[in-house]
Amino acid sequence: MDSQIYGSSKLVCVVFLSILLGLSTALPEESAPATVKRLSSSKPLSVGQQINSNSVLVALLDSHYTELAELVEKALLLQTLEAAVSQHNLTIFAPRNEALERELDPEFKRFLLEPGNLKSLQTLLLFHIIPTRIRSSDLPSSSEELIRHKTLSNDHLHLATGNGKDSGHVMVDLAKVVSPDDVVRPDGVIHGIERLLIPRSVEENFNQRRNLQSISAILPQAAPEVDPRTHRLKKPSPPVAAGASPVLPIYDALAPGPSLAPAPAPGPGGPHHHFDGESQVKDFIHTLLHYGGYNELADILVNLTSMAVEMGRLVSEGYVLTVLAPNDEAMAKLTSDQLSEPGAPEQIVYYHIIPEYQTEESMYNSVRRFGKVRYDTLRLPHIVVAEESDGSVKFGQGDGSAYLFDPDIYIDGRISVQGIDGVLFPPEESKPVTKFAAPAAKVVAKQRRGKLLEMTCKMLGAVGQDSRFSSCN
C-alpha cells in the first residue's frame, strides 16, 4: 500500500514538472523569468532532438508567409533547416505572399520550380536565412551604419538604412523590411520584407538558361538583308528612348501579307531593346489559358499562325495593341462557309486587333461621351464601331455584334486583352475589299468546338505544309 502511494506521488511530480516546463516555453520572451530567458538564449535544440512546436520553423509553416513555406517544402529544405535550428538561432527574412504570387516574373518562377534547377531554388531560399538571432533592436538605425551577415547559402546580406524614398526604413540588400519582428520564437526571428532576395549566382544561372533558350536561329552576318517593309538595305537602328513613338506607322511595320507559312523563329528581343514583346505576348496567352474560356484563341496564336510572333515584334518596336478576344462559345459557332477562303483565320484575328491601347474604362468613357466610336483594325481598311449598350460596350451592328463580356483580362501598358461574347466581321458593304466577309446575320449551324482549327488543318494539308499544331496529327 505504501509503495503504491509512493509511486503515485512520483507520477504526480513528473506531470507537475512537465506542466511547468510547458508553461515556461509558452511564456512570451518579455514576460518569462530570467531562468527561462537564459534557456531560450542558449542553443535551442540538441542534435537529433525533434522540433518543438514553439520553433521558428513551425511558425514559418503556419504563418501568413505561405508562399515561402511552400517553396521551402518543394526545395526539400526542411531537414536542412531542422539541423540548422538545432545548432543556431535563425533569422529569416520572409518575402510577403504578394511578392511571390503576382510580382515575381512568371518566367523566373517557372525556372525555380523546374526539377533540374533544385540547387538554384535551395540557394535562393537559404540566402534569406542568417544563422544568427537578429531582433529589430539589432537592425541599423543610421545611414552610416552597414552590417554584413553571412547566410546559410554562404553568401552575404547587407543591412543598412535606406535613402531617398526608402529613407527611415531598414533595407536588406534591395528589399525593404516592412514587418520587423513579425514572428519571434525562442530559436529564431522572422522579419517580413517587401520582395524576394535573389543571389547573384542564381540570377546568372537564370540569365544563362534564358539566353540559350531564346537564341534559336543565327542570322547570316556577311550577306546584306533587305527590309521587306521599306525595300531598303537593313541598317542598325538608331537608339530610341523608351516610350518614344515608333519610326514607322503600324501598317508599314506589319509583315507583307498574312499567310499560312510556319511562324519564324523568335529573336532575342526588339531592335531597340526597350520592350520585350515576345515575353509580353507569351504572358497574355498564358493569362488567357489560366482565365478559362478562351482556349480556342490561345491555340490559334500559339500553334496555328505567325500571329503571336508578329504581335511580339510590333510590341518590341514600340507599338501598342488591344485584342478583342472572342470566347470559346463564340468561336464554336463559326461555320465551314466562314472558314473556306484561304487565310480566313488570319483575317478574323486581324479584324479583332486594334492598334491602340484601350482598357474597359477608356472605351466605356468614349462611347458614353461620343455615342459611337470608330476603331481602326489591323485588317486594313476595315474598322470596328463601338457604342454604349446596357451599361457595357457593344462592338459591331445588328446580329453580327458582340458585347464586352470579360473586361481587362490582361493589361500591361503595351497589350490590352478584352473578352467579347461574339466573333466580329466587317460589314456587308466592305465585301469587295476582300473575298472573305461575314453574312449580315449570324448563321445558325451545328455548333462544334474547334471548327476553326479543324478547317485550317485541312487547308494546311491541301497545300502540303507541315503543321506545328498537335491537333492536326
Side-chain angles (χ1 to χ4, degrees), residues 351-380:
Y351 188 63
H352 289 75
I353 301 178
I354 299 172
E356 303 174 20
Y357 184 77
Q358 297 286 345
T359 63
E360 185 264 346
E361 181 180 6
S362 64
M363 289 189 292
Y364 184 69
N365 289 339
S366 298
V367 296
R368 284 197 63 184
R369 181 175 181 182
F370 301 107
K372 290 187 178 181
V373 179
R374 297 156 54 95
Y375 292 106
D376 292 328
T377 69
L378 292 190
R379 187 177 174 183
L380 195 68

PDB file of all heavy atoms in Angstrom, residues 351-380:
ATOM      1  N   TYR A 351      -8.900  41.307 -87.704  1.00  0.00           N
ATOM      2  CA  TYR A 351     -10.026  42.223 -87.520  1.00  0.00           C
ATOM      3  C   TYR A 351     -10.327  42.464 -86.036  1.00  0.00           C
ATOM      4  O   TYR A 351     -11.039  43.405 -85.703  1.00  0.00           O
ATOM      5  CB  TYR A 351     -11.266  41.662 -88.225  1.00  0.00           C
ATOM      6  CG  TYR A 351     -12.430  42.629 -88.266  1.00  0.00           C
ATOM      7  CD1 TYR A 351     -12.322  43.836 -88.941  1.00  0.00           C
ATOM      8  CD2 TYR A 351     -13.628  42.346 -87.633  1.00  0.00           C
ATOM      9  CE1 TYR A 351     -13.376  44.731 -88.987  1.00  0.00           C
ATOM     10  CE2 TYR A 351     -14.697  43.227 -87.670  1.00  0.00           C
ATOM     11  CZ  TYR A 351     -14.560  44.422 -88.342  1.00  0.00           C
ATOM     12  OH  TYR A 351     -15.605  45.312 -88.382  1.00  0.00           O
ATOM     13  N   HIS A 352      -9.801  41.624 -85.168  1.00  0.00           N
ATOM     14  CA  HIS A 352     -10.039  41.770 -83.727  1.00  0.00           C
ATOM     15  C   HIS A 352      -8.876  42.439 -83.004  1.00  0.00           C
ATOM     16  O   HIS A 352      -8.839  42.445 -81.767  1.00  0.00           O
ATOM     17  CB  HIS A 352     -10.309  40.402 -83.098  1.00  0.00           C
ATOM     18  CG  HIS A 352     -11.639  39.816 -83.471  1.00  0.00           C
ATOM     19  ND1 HIS A 352     -11.885  39.280 -84.705  1.00  0.00           N
ATOM     20  CD2 HIS A 352     -12.801  39.701 -82.762  1.00  0.00           C
ATOM     21  CE1 HIS A 352     -13.150  38.846 -84.749  1.00  0.00           C
ATOM     22  NE2 HIS A 352     -13.718  39.087 -83.589  1.00  0.00           N
ATOM     23  N   ILE A 353      -7.907  42.981 -83.735  1.00  0.00           N
ATOM     24  CA  ILE A 353      -6.764  43.658 -83.121  1.00  0.00           C
ATOM     25  C   ILE A 353      -6.812  45.138 -83.469  1.00  0.00           C
ATOM     26  O   ILE A 353      -6.837  45.521 -84.641  1.00  0.00           O
ATOM     27  CB  ILE A 353      -5.427  43.046 -83.585  1.00  0.00           C
ATOM     28  CG1 ILE A 353      -5.367  41.559 -83.214  1.00  0.00           C
ATOM     29  CG2 ILE A 353      -4.256  43.789 -82.953  1.00  0.00           C
ATOM     30  CD1 ILE A 353      -4.101  40.869 -83.668  1.00  0.00           C
ATOM     31  N   ILE A 354      -6.837  45.989 -82.453  1.00  0.00           N
ATOM     32  CA  ILE A 354      -6.882  47.443 -82.607  1.00  0.00           C
ATOM     33  C   ILE A 354      -5.495  48.001 -82.303  1.00  0.00           C
ATOM     34  O   ILE A 354      -4.931  47.701 -81.242  1.00  0.00           O
ATOM     35  CB  ILE A 354      -7.923  48.059 -81.651  1.00  0.00           C
ATOM     36  CG1 ILE A 354      -9.320  47.506 -81.971  1.00  0.00           C
ATOM     37  CG2 ILE A 354      -7.915  49.574 -81.728  1.00  0.00           C
ATOM     38  CD1 ILE A 354     -10.379  47.920 -80.961  1.00  0.00           C
ATOM     39  N   PRO A 355      -4.902  48.801 -83.197  1.00  0.00           N
ATOM     40  CA  PRO A 355      -3.555  49.337 -82.947  1.00  0.00           C
ATOM     41  C   PRO A 355      -3.564  50.528 -81.991  1.00  0.00           C
ATOM     42  O   PRO A 355      -2.970  51.569 -82.259  1.00  0.00           O
ATOM     43  CB  PRO A 355      -3.085  49.732 -84.352  1.00  0.00           C
ATOM     44  CG  PRO A 355      -4.337  50.092 -85.077  1.00  0.00           C
ATOM     45  CD  PRO A 355      -5.385  49.150 -84.545  1.00  0.00           C
ATOM     46  N   GLU A 356      -4.249  50.380 -80.894  1.00  0.00           N
ATOM     47  CA  GLU A 356      -4.290  51.380 -79.828  1.00  0.00           C
ATOM     48  C   GLU A 356      -4.286  50.636 -78.498  1.00  0.00           C
ATOM     49  O   GLU A 356      -4.584  49.436 -78.454  1.00  0.00           O
ATOM     50  CB  GLU A 356      -5.554  52.249 -79.907  1.00  0.00           C
ATOM     51  CG  GLU A 356      -5.754  52.977 -81.221  1.00  0.00           C
ATOM     52  CD  GLU A 356      -7.096  53.692 -81.250  1.00  0.00           C
ATOM     53  OE1 GLU A 356      -7.664  53.932 -80.161  1.00  0.00           O
ATOM     54  OE2 GLU A 356      -7.582  53.994 -82.357  1.00  0.00           O
ATOM     55  N   TYR A 357      -3.975  51.356 -77.420  1.00  0.00           N
ATOM     56  CA  TYR A 357      -4.054  50.751 -76.091  1.00  0.00           C
ATOM     57  C   TYR A 357      -5.332  51.252 -75.424  1.00  0.00           C
ATOM     58  O   TYR A 357      -5.442  52.423 -75.054  1.00  0.00           O
ATOM     59  CB  TYR A 357      -2.841  51.107 -75.235  1.00  0.00           C
ATOM     60  CG  TYR A 357      -2.839  50.416 -73.895  1.00  0.00           C
ATOM     61  CD1 TYR A 357      -2.477  49.079 -73.788  1.00  0.00           C
ATOM     62  CD2 TYR A 357      -3.221  51.086 -72.737  1.00  0.00           C
ATOM     63  CE1 TYR A 357      -2.486  48.425 -72.570  1.00  0.00           C
ATOM     64  CE2 TYR A 357      -3.233  50.448 -71.511  1.00  0.00           C
ATOM     65  CZ  TYR A 357      -2.863  49.117 -71.429  1.00  0.00           C
ATOM     66  OH  TYR A 357      -2.880  48.470 -70.210  1.00  0.00           O
ATOM     67  N   GLN A 358      -6.325  50.359 -75.319  1.00  0.00           N
ATOM     68  CA  GLN A 358      -7.621  50.714 -74.764  1.00  0.00           C
ATOM     69  C   GLN A 358      -7.953  49.752 -73.625  1.00  0.00           C
ATOM     70  O   GLN A 358      -7.749  48.544 -73.744  1.00  0.00           O
ATOM     71  CB  GLN A 358      -8.723  50.635 -75.829  1.00  0.00           C
ATOM     72  CG  GLN A 358      -8.552  51.594 -76.989  1.00  0.00           C
ATOM     73  CD  GLN A 358      -8.873  53.032 -76.595  1.00  0.00           C
ATOM     74  OE1 GLN A 358      -9.484  53.283 -75.552  1.00  0.00           O
ATOM     75  NE2 GLN A 358      -8.453  53.973 -77.412  1.00  0.00           N
ATOM     76  N   THR A 359      -8.470  50.304 -72.541  1.00  0.00           N
ATOM     77  CA  THR A 359      -8.975  49.498 -71.440  1.00  0.00           C
ATOM     78  C   THR A 359     -10.497  49.568 -71.417  1.00  0.00           C
ATOM     79  O   THR A 359     -11.108  50.340 -72.183  1.00  0.00           O
ATOM     80  CB  THR A 359      -8.423  49.987 -70.093  1.00  0.00           C
ATOM     81  OG1 THR A 359      -8.882  51.334 -69.851  1.00  0.00           O
ATOM     82  CG2 THR A 359      -6.895  49.958 -70.093  1.00  0.00           C
ATOM     83  N   GLU A 360     -11.105  48.784 -70.562  1.00  0.00           N
ATOM     84  CA  GLU A 360     -12.562  48.820 -70.444  1.00  0.00           C
ATOM     85  C   GLU A 360     -13.040  50.213 -70.044  1.00  0.00           C
ATOM     86  O   GLU A 360     -14.034  50.723 -70.577  1.00  0.00           O
ATOM     87  CB  GLU A 360     -13.002  47.776 -69.416  1.00  0.00           C
ATOM     88  CG  GLU A 360     -14.517  47.617 -69.292  1.00  0.00           C
ATOM     89  CD  GLU A 360     -15.127  48.434 -68.167  1.00  0.00           C
ATOM     90  OE1 GLU A 360     -14.351  48.908 -67.319  1.00  0.00           O
ATOM     91  OE2 GLU A 360     -16.356  48.601 -68.149  1.00  0.00           O
ATOM     92  N   GLU A 361     -12.297  50.860 -69.152  1.00  0.00           N
ATOM     93  CA  GLU A 361     -12.701  52.194 -68.695  1.00  0.00           C
ATOM     94  C   GLU A 361     -12.596  53.220 -69.814  1.00  0.00           C
ATOM     95  O   GLU A 361     -13.508  54.032 -70.018  1.00  0.00           O
ATOM     96  CB  GLU A 361     -11.827  52.614 -67.512  1.00  0.00           C
ATOM     97  CG  GLU A 361     -12.177  53.979 -66.940  1.00  0.00           C
ATOM     98  CD  GLU A 361     -11.288  54.367 -65.779  1.00  0.00           C
ATOM     99  OE1 GLU A 361     -10.330  53.617 -65.491  1.00  0.00           O
ATOM    100  OE2 GLU A 361     -11.544  55.403 -65.150  1.00  0.00           O
ATOM    101  N   SER A 362     -11.492  53.193 -70.576  1.00  0.00           N
ATOM    102  CA  SER A 362     -11.318  54.195 -71.627  1.00  0.00           C
ATOM    103  C   SER A 362     -12.339  54.016 -72.747  1.00  0.00           C
ATOM    104  O   SER A 362     -12.878  55.001 -73.271  1.00  0.00           O
ATOM    105  CB  SER A 362      -9.897  54.108 -72.192  1.00  0.00           C
ATOM    106  OG  SER A 362      -9.680  52.864 -72.833  1.00  0.00           O
ATOM    107  N   MET A 363     -12.644  52.772 -73.118  1.00  0.00           N
ATOM    108  CA  MET A 363     -13.628  52.559 -74.174  1.00  0.00           C
ATOM    109  C   MET A 363     -15.027  52.939 -73.719  1.00  0.00           C
ATOM    110  O   MET A 363     -15.797  53.554 -74.472  1.00  0.00           O
ATOM    111  CB  MET A 363     -13.582  51.092 -74.632  1.00  0.00           C
ATOM    112  CG  MET A 363     -12.335  50.740 -75.419  1.00  0.00           C
ATOM    113  SD  MET A 363     -12.383  49.088 -76.202  1.00  0.00           S
ATOM    114  CE  MET A 363     -12.340  48.050 -74.754  1.00  0.00           C
ATOM    115  N   TYR A 364     -15.374  52.578 -72.480  1.00  0.00           N
ATOM    116  CA  TYR A 364     -16.722  52.900 -71.995  1.00  0.00           C
ATOM    117  C   TYR A 364     -16.905  54.414 -71.865  1.00  0.00           C
ATOM    118  O   TYR A 364     -17.958  54.956 -72.226  1.00  0.00           O
ATOM    119  CB  TYR A 364     -16.966  52.222 -70.653  1.00  0.00           C
ATOM    120  CG  TYR A 364     -18.373  52.420 -70.138  1.00  0.00           C
ATOM    121  CD1 TYR A 364     -19.465  51.827 -70.764  1.00  0.00           C
ATOM    122  CD2 TYR A 364     -18.612  53.211 -69.018  1.00  0.00           C
ATOM    123  CE1 TYR A 364     -20.758  52.025 -70.301  1.00  0.00           C
ATOM    124  CE2 TYR A 364     -19.900  53.408 -68.544  1.00  0.00           C
ATOM    125  CZ  TYR A 364     -20.975  52.811 -69.197  1.00  0.00           C
ATOM    126  OH  TYR A 364     -22.253  53.008 -68.732  1.00  0.00           O
ATOM    127  N   ASN A 365     -15.874  55.111 -71.373  1.00  0.00           N
ATOM    128  CA  ASN A 365     -15.971  56.572 -71.275  1.00  0.00           C
ATOM    129  C   ASN A 365     -16.108  57.206 -72.655  1.00  0.00           C
ATOM    130  O   ASN A 365     -16.838  58.200 -72.833  1.00  0.00           O
ATOM    131  CB  ASN A 365     -14.739  57.128 -70.566  1.00  0.00           C
ATOM    132  CG  ASN A 365     -14.728  56.784 -69.081  1.00  0.00           C
ATOM    133  OD1 ASN A 365     -15.769  56.484 -68.497  1.00  0.00           O
ATOM    134  ND2 ASN A 365     -13.557  56.813 -68.463  1.00  0.00           N
ATOM    135  N   SER A 366     -15.429  56.650 -73.654  1.00  0.00           N
ATOM    136  CA  SER A 366     -15.513  57.219 -75.008  1.00  0.00           C
ATOM    137  C   SER A 366     -16.907  57.052 -75.603  1.00  0.00           C
ATOM    138  O   SER A 366     -17.475  57.999 -76.164  1.00  0.00           O
ATOM    139  CB  SER A 366     -14.481  56.550 -75.911  1.00  0.00           C
ATOM    140  OG  SER A 366     -13.172  56.785 -75.437  1.00  0.00           O
ATOM    141  N   VAL A 367     -17.477  55.847 -75.492  1.00  0.00           N
ATOM    142  CA  VAL A 367     -18.792  55.635 -76.104  1.00  0.00           C
ATOM    143  C   VAL A 367     -19.882  56.377 -75.341  1.00  0.00           C
ATOM    144  O   VAL A 367     -20.889  56.787 -75.930  1.00  0.00           O
ATOM    145  CB  VAL A 367     -19.109  54.121 -76.183  1.00  0.00           C
ATOM    146  CG1 VAL A 367     -18.130  53.419 -77.103  1.00  0.00           C
ATOM    147  CG2 VAL A 367     -19.111  53.460 -74.803  1.00  0.00           C
ATOM    148  N   ARG A 368     -19.707  56.579 -74.054  1.00  0.00           N
ATOM    149  CA  ARG A 368     -20.702  57.357 -73.291  1.00  0.00           C
ATOM    150  C   ARG A 368     -20.675  58.814 -73.715  1.00  0.00           C
ATOM    151  O   ARG A 368     -21.711  59.485 -73.770  1.00  0.00           O
ATOM    152  CB  ARG A 368     -20.419  57.255 -71.797  1.00  0.00           C
ATOM    153  CG  ARG A 368     -20.832  55.936 -71.175  1.00  0.00           C
ATOM    154  CD  ARG A 368     -20.923  56.043 -69.664  1.00  0.00           C
ATOM    155  NE  ARG A 368     -21.948  56.999 -69.273  1.00  0.00           N
ATOM    156  CZ  ARG A 368     -22.198  57.355 -68.010  1.00  0.00           C
ATOM    157  NH1 ARG A 368     -21.475  56.831 -67.024  1.00  0.00           N
ATOM    158  NH2 ARG A 368     -23.142  58.214 -67.715  1.00  0.00           N
ATOM    159  N   ARG A 369     -19.484  59.323 -74.004  1.00  0.00           N
ATOM    160  CA  ARG A 369     -19.370  60.744 -74.335  1.00  0.00           C
ATOM    161  C   ARG A 369     -19.703  61.031 -75.791  1.00  0.00           C
ATOM    162  O   ARG A 369     -20.352  62.032 -76.110  1.00  0.00           O
ATOM    163  CB  ARG A 369     -17.958  61.221 -74.022  1.00  0.00           C
ATOM    164  CG  ARG A 369     -17.725  62.685 -74.313  1.00  0.00           C
ATOM    165  CD  ARG A 369     -16.343  63.138 -73.882  1.00  0.00           C
ATOM    166  NE  ARG A 369     -16.133  64.556 -74.149  1.00  0.00           N
ATOM    167  CZ  ARG A 369     -15.001  65.208 -73.906  1.00  0.00           C
ATOM    168  NH1 ARG A 369     -13.984  64.540 -73.367  1.00  0.00           N
ATOM    169  NH2 ARG A 369     -14.886  66.486 -74.168  1.00  0.00           N
ATOM    170  N   PHE A 370     -19.260  60.157 -76.707  1.00  0.00           N
ATOM    171  CA  PHE A 370     -19.387  60.453 -78.130  1.00  0.00           C
ATOM    172  C   PHE A 370     -20.430  59.593 -78.839  1.00  0.00           C
ATOM    173  O   PHE A 370     -20.627  59.749 -80.045  1.00  0.00           O
ATOM    174  CB  PHE A 370     -18.035  60.265 -78.826  1.00  0.00           C
ATOM    175  CG  PHE A 370     -16.955  61.143 -78.265  1.00  0.00           C
ATOM    176  CD1 PHE A 370     -15.948  60.595 -77.487  1.00  0.00           C
ATOM    177  CD2 PHE A 370     -16.952  62.506 -78.498  1.00  0.00           C
ATOM    178  CE1 PHE A 370     -14.948  61.394 -76.962  1.00  0.00           C
ATOM    179  CE2 PHE A 370     -15.960  63.307 -77.964  1.00  0.00           C
ATOM    180  CZ  PHE A 370     -14.948  62.757 -77.195  1.00  0.00           C
ATOM    181  N   GLY A 371     -21.090  58.682 -78.144  1.00  0.00           N
ATOM    182  CA  GLY A 371     -22.105  57.850 -78.782  1.00  0.00           C
ATOM    183  C   GLY A 371     -21.496  56.665 -79.492  1.00  0.00           C
ATOM    184  O   GLY A 371     -21.440  55.567 -78.947  1.00  0.00           O
ATOM    185  N   LYS A 372     -20.998  56.867 -80.711  1.00  0.00           N
ATOM    186  CA  LYS A 372     -20.343  55.805 -81.466  1.00  0.00           C
ATOM    187  C   LYS A 372     -18.885  56.186 -81.713  1.00  0.00           C
ATOM    188  O   LYS A 372     -18.595  57.336 -82.044  1.00  0.00           O
ATOM    189  CB  LYS A 372     -21.050  55.565 -82.808  1.00  0.00           C
ATOM    190  CG  LYS A 372     -22.422  54.916 -82.671  1.00  0.00           C
ATOM    191  CD  LYS A 372     -22.985  54.551 -84.029  1.00  0.00           C
ATOM    192  CE  LYS A 372     -24.349  53.851 -83.882  1.00  0.00           C
ATOM    193  NZ  LYS A 372     -24.905  53.455 -85.200  1.00  0.00           N
ATOM    194  N   VAL A 373     -18.022  55.217 -81.554  1.00  0.00           N
ATOM    195  CA  VAL A 373     -16.579  55.437 -81.734  1.00  0.00           C
ATOM    196  C   VAL A 373     -16.074  54.419 -82.752  1.00  0.00           C
ATOM    197  O   VAL A 373     -16.390  53.225 -82.672  1.00  0.00           O
ATOM    198  CB  VAL A 373     -15.816  55.290 -80.397  1.00  0.00           C
ATOM    199  CG1 VAL A 373     -14.327  55.507 -80.612  1.00  0.00           C
ATOM    200  CG2 VAL A 373     -16.360  56.273 -79.371  1.00  0.00           C
ATOM    201  N   ARG A 374     -15.278  54.880 -83.709  1.00  0.00           N
ATOM    202  CA  ARG A 374     -14.708  54.007 -84.743  1.00  0.00           C
ATOM    203  C   ARG A 374     -13.261  53.682 -84.381  1.00  0.00           C
ATOM    204  O   ARG A 374     -12.450  54.571 -84.124  1.00  0.00           O
ATOM    205  CB  ARG A 374     -14.752  54.716 -86.098  1.00  0.00           C
ATOM    206  CG  ARG A 374     -16.155  55.030 -86.580  1.00  0.00           C
ATOM    207  CD  ARG A 374     -16.172  56.190 -87.568  1.00  0.00           C
ATOM    208  NE  ARG A 374     -15.269  55.992 -88.694  1.00  0.00           N
ATOM    209  CZ  ARG A 374     -15.629  55.492 -89.866  1.00  0.00           C
ATOM    210  NH1 ARG A 374     -16.905  55.156 -90.061  1.00  0.00           N
ATOM    211  NH2 ARG A 374     -14.776  55.354 -90.846  1.00  0.00           N
ATOM    212  N   TYR A 375     -12.954  52.406 -84.347  1.00  0.00           N
ATOM    213  CA  TYR A 375     -11.595  51.946 -84.046  1.00  0.00           C
ATOM    214  C   TYR A 375     -10.994  51.288 -85.288  1.00  0.00           C
ATOM    215  O   TYR A 375     -11.618  50.414 -85.912  1.00  0.00           O
ATOM    216  CB  TYR A 375     -11.598  50.934 -82.903  1.00  0.00           C
ATOM    217  CG  TYR A 375     -11.981  51.511 -81.564  1.00  0.00           C
ATOM    218  CD1 TYR A 375     -13.237  51.246 -81.008  1.00  0.00           C
ATOM    219  CD2 TYR A 375     -11.108  52.316 -80.847  1.00  0.00           C
ATOM    220  CE1 TYR A 375     -13.597  51.771 -79.779  1.00  0.00           C
ATOM    221  CE2 TYR A 375     -11.464  52.851 -79.616  1.00  0.00           C
ATOM    222  CZ  TYR A 375     -12.707  52.577 -79.091  1.00  0.00           C
ATOM    223  OH  TYR A 375     -13.068  53.094 -77.875  1.00  0.00           O
ATOM    224  N   ASP A 376      -9.792  51.719 -85.670  1.00  0.00           N
ATOM    225  CA  ASP A 376      -9.081  51.052 -86.753  1.00  0.00           C
ATOM    226  C   ASP A 376      -8.678  49.644 -86.320  1.00  0.00           C
ATOM    227  O   ASP A 376      -8.502  49.368 -85.128  1.00  0.00           O
ATOM    228  CB  ASP A 376      -7.821  51.835 -87.128  1.00  0.00           C
ATOM    229  CG  ASP A 376      -8.153  53.164 -87.773  1.00  0.00           C
ATOM    230  OD1 ASP A 376      -9.194  53.242 -88.452  1.00  0.00           O
ATOM    231  OD2 ASP A 376      -7.380  54.130 -87.581  1.00  0.00           O
ATOM    232  N   THR A 377      -8.530  48.749 -87.275  1.00  0.00           N
ATOM    233  CA  THR A 377      -8.079  47.390 -87.005  1.00  0.00           C
ATOM    234  C   THR A 377      -6.858  47.094 -87.870  1.00  0.00           C
ATOM    235  O   THR A 377      -6.542  47.839 -88.806  1.00  0.00           O
ATOM    236  CB  THR A 377      -9.179  46.360 -87.312  1.00  0.00           C
ATOM    237  OG1 THR A 377      -9.394  46.303 -88.721  1.00  0.00           O
ATOM    238  CG2 THR A 377     -10.475  46.715 -86.599  1.00  0.00           C
ATOM    239  N   LEU A 378      -6.186  45.996 -87.552  1.00  0.00           N
ATOM    240  CA  LEU A 378      -5.051  45.587 -88.379  1.00  0.00           C
ATOM    241  C   LEU A 378      -5.497  44.965 -89.697  1.00  0.00           C
ATOM    242  O   LEU A 378      -4.665  44.648 -90.533  1.00  0.00           O
ATOM    243  CB  LEU A 378      -4.168  44.595 -87.610  1.00  0.00           C
ATOM    244  CG  LEU A 378      -3.420  45.175 -86.412  1.00  0.00           C
ATOM    245  CD1 LEU A 378      -2.409  44.178 -85.881  1.00  0.00           C
ATOM    246  CD2 LEU A 378      -2.732  46.488 -86.765  1.00  0.00           C
ATOM    247  N   ARG A 379      -6.784  44.759 -89.866  1.00  0.00           N
ATOM    248  CA  ARG A 379      -7.302  44.301 -91.155  1.00  0.00           C
ATOM    249  C   ARG A 379      -7.697  45.533 -91.956  1.00  0.00           C
ATOM    250  O   ARG A 379      -8.864  45.906 -92.061  1.00  0.00           O
ATOM    251  CB  ARG A 379      -8.491  43.365 -90.954  1.00  0.00           C
ATOM    252  CG  ARG A 379      -8.977  42.721 -92.248  1.00  0.00           C
ATOM    253  CD  ARG A 379     -10.107  41.743 -91.972  1.00  0.00           C
ATOM    254  NE  ARG A 379     -10.664  41.240 -93.222  1.00  0.00           N
ATOM    255  CZ  ARG A 379     -11.688  40.414 -93.288  1.00  0.00           C
ATOM    256  NH1 ARG A 379     -12.272  39.993 -92.171  1.00  0.00           N
ATOM    257  NH2 ARG A 379     -12.140  39.999 -94.456  1.00  0.00           N
ATOM    258  N   LEU A 380      -6.715  46.198 -92.499  1.00  0.00           N
ATOM    259  CA  LEU A 380      -6.917  47.443 -93.227  1.00  0.00           C
ATOM    260  C   LEU A 380      -7.751  47.197 -94.495  1.00  0.00           C
ATOM    261  O   LEU A 380      -7.524  46.202 -95.185  1.00  0.00           O
ATOM    262  CB  LEU A 380      -5.538  48.010 -93.597  1.00  0.00           C
ATOM    263  CG  LEU A 380      -5.480  49.467 -94.049  1.00  0.00           C
ATOM    264  CD1 LEU A 380      -5.803  50.366 -92.873  1.00  0.00           C
ATOM    265  CD2 LEU A 380      -4.091  49.788 -94.586  1.00  0.00           C
TER     266      LEU A 380
END
